[in-house]
Structure formats: structure tokens, C-alpha cells
Amino acid sequence: MDNQTTEKTLRKVNVMRYVMPLREGGSLPALADADDGFSYVLKFRGAGQREKALIAELLGGEIARSLGFKVPELVFANLDEAFGRSEGDEEIQDLLKGSQGLNLALHFLSKALTFDPGASQVDPLLASKIVWLDAYITNVDRTFRNTNMLIWNRELWLIDHGASFLFHHSWDNWQKHAESPFSTIKTHVLLPQASMLQEVDTEFKGVLNRELIRTIVDLIPDEWILASRDVEDAIDGKAVYEQFLLKRLEFSGVFVKEAEDARKTLI
């Protein structure tokens, strides 16, 4: 799996076998086998926050990849309408029926270990980069309780960005969210080590630009955007995501200062 993406396209696979749910909870992600011979962590469009969680996962993961982070390959995963009919668990069967069509999946990192903040150290530069990313995409889910980071082949990998982009749950307030400081950053598991946020801010603002952001946003399937009925045209929906990310970049100083101020209370 090459972490460097030269063309912003995602492969498409067909899910062949539901192996098992990966954890308890409303979203019930699953380990599944696909027709390309690989195993994937499958995120269902019929679960929890539905397509919006998949959009957040897609955007967050590909932005992270573009910034140089290690992220498992994301693929579009098609669920045939006949899939899951033999599933004995009624809740899982309902989930599979409600997720027919295009879903999202992450390449399964076999034998990866969950990042343990008590046992592993992250250097200040990498910690600052991860904190910046999560403040930028408003990711609330990188805490001590649930780090959403893995150690695989002795390297740190980022997973699970489905709780990002809070604005799209209250669509009309996207501009306010774009300019917000994101106070939730105070719970970030790596905030104590993030002493280089200003340097990272300069570096990442040199990487992210309108063309790159538009290319990533264009990956979102039209049907995922239209499913929420927030907009009548997928083009309009994608324009909002693009404008949010550009405005967020313009106001990065606001969320960087919030993170720096929160960090001062911890050290």
C-alpha cells in the first residue's frame, strides 16, 4: 500500500464475505473480504450517521494522506443487494440490507496494535502535525479513551475520521464552523507533545491549496451527498465542503491558538 497518492482516485471492490463485526456500538464496522483478495474494515452507509460518516472518513483520510500521514488505503466497497441474506444476526442483516450499493472500506492492517499513549512516545513534530490535522477537519475522536491510531510495521497509522466535519450535521452553519477555534482539541491525546504547531501551520498551508482540496472533495460520490437532502444538486454540496476547507485554512491561526492555549493548561 503506497501512502503517496499521485492521482486522487479510489479503487472499487465488491464485498464477498462478511467476516465479523469489529466492535460493539451503533456503527458496527465489520471485517470483510473483497473480490481483490484483500480484507477490509468496512464502514456502512446504513449505520449511525449514514453517508455523512463516510464522507467525513473519505475527506479526512485523503487529506491526511496528502499531508504525508500513513493512512490505510481507502476503497469504495460495493454491497450487492443479495449480500447478507444468510446472516443470522437480525441487527447485522438489517444493517447490510440498509447498506446496499456503495460503501467505504479501509485496508485491514493485519496484526496492527492499538496506539497506547502510556507506552509509546510520539515526537513533537509528528504530534503537532496530527493535532493540526484534527483541529483543521474538526475531528473529535482522537482521545485517550479512543486514540484511533495504530502501530503497524513499527510506524504510526491514522484511522477512523468519520467523526470529523461537525458542520455537516448542521449544514447552514458551515461558515461559523469554518472560523471556529475548535475547543474540543483540549481532549486530544497528543496535545501535550504538540509543541510545534506554528511550524506545522506554515508547512501544511504550503501543501493544501484550492486545486488539491477540490480534487479530494470531487472523490465524494454524488449519491452520498444527495442522500442527506441538504442540497438538491451534488455540485452545490461539494462546493460547500470545498469552501469550508478553504475558509478553515484561512482561519488556521484561530484553531492553532486555541490548541496552544489548551496545551498550556496541560504542561
Side-chain angles (χ1 to χ4, degrees):
M1 292 179 298
D2 187 352
N3 197 55
Q4 299 300 316
T5 304
T6 55
E7 294 184 8
K8 291 295 177 187
T9 57
L10 296 190
R11 293 190 301 113
K12 185 176 180 180
V13 301
N14 294 305
V15 180
M16 303 300 292
R17 186 168 75 98
Y18 181 102
V19 179
M20 63 178 183
L22 289 178
R23 64 172 182 263
E24 298 298 326
S27 62
L28 286 176
L31 180 64
D33 295 334
D35 61 352
D36 62 352
F38 290 105
S39 296
Y40 293 90
V41 176
L42 184 59
K43 304 294 183 80
F44 296 101
R45 66 187 299 177
Q49 301 294 336
R50 296 191 60 84
E51 288 85 358
K52 287 186 177 180
L54 303 190
I55 291 172
E57 189 80 65
L58 173 57
L59 293 179
E62 290 307 311
I63 288 170
R65 195 187 315 281
S66 296
L67 291 173
F69 294 104
K70 293 192 175 297
V71 182
E73 181 191 8
L74 291 166
V75 299
F76 292 124
N78 184 63
L79 237 62
D80 187 87
E81 63 180 31
F83 190 84
R85 286 178 181 170
S86 61
E87 173 58 48
D89 186 301
E90 186 174 335
E91 182 182 10
I92 293 176
Q93 188 177 93
D94 289 343
L95 177 64
L96 297 176
K97 287 181 179 178
S99 302
Q100 293 171 1
L102 209 58
N103 297 269
L104 192 69
L106 295 82
H107 196 111
F108 178 62
L109 303 182
S110 179
K111 298 181 180 180
L113 301 175
T114 299
F115 173 78
D116 182 352
S120 303
Q121 280 293 319
V122 176
D123 69 78
L125 180 58
L126 180 55
S128 300
K129 287 181 175 182
I130 296 172
V131 168
W132 190 99
L133 167 71
D134 289 329
Y136 176 55
I137 64 175
T138 62
N139 179 23
V140 301
D141 206 5
R142 192 104 61 199
T143 65
F144 281 91
R145 185 179 62 84
N146 191 22
T147 64
N148 282 324
M149 293 183 285
L150 300 175
I151 302 296
W152 192 63
N153 289 346
R154 300 183 180 181
E155 294 179 308
L156 189 68
W157 290 70
L158 304 185
I159 60 170
D160 288 350
H161 298 96
S164 307
F165 296 92
L166 299 178
F167 86 87
H168 66 184
H169 300 296
S170 55
W171 192 262
D172 293 337
N173 294 325
W174 73 264
Q175 289 175 301
K176 179 180 177 180
H177 279 276
E179 299 173 12
S180 75
F182 192 57
S183 61
T184 309
I185 202 66
K186 64 180 180 290
T187 66
H188 199 287
V189 64
L190 296 181
L191 185 59
Q193 291 82 46
S195 59
M196 301 179 66
L197 288 165
Q198 292 290 346
E199 293 89 336
V200 169
D201 186 49
T202 300
E203 177 185 344
F204 281 176
K205 288 176 78 170
V207 175
L208 295 172
N209 55 50
R210 183 181 297 273
E211 181 181 1
L212 177 57
I213 288 171
R214 180 171 295 170
T215 300
I216 294 172
V217 170
D218 279 345
L219 291 172
I220 305 171
D222 290 357
E223 63 189 90
W224 289 1
I225 292 180
L226 295 175
S228 66
R229 300 182 180 178
D230 291 312
V231 293
E232 294 184 1
D233 192 314
I235 293 176
D236 294 336
K238 290 181 181 182
V240 171
Y241 281 105
E242 179 183 337
Q243 291 169 43
F244 170 84
L245 287 165
L246 289 171
K247 179 68 72 172
R248 190 92 183 126
L249 203 58
E250 180 184 345
F251 281 81
S252 66
V254 174
F255 65 74
V256 166
K257 184 179 185 303
E258 177 73 16
E260 289 179 326
D261 289 346
R263 182 175 177 272
K264 289 175 184 177
T265 69
L266 302 176
I267 58 175

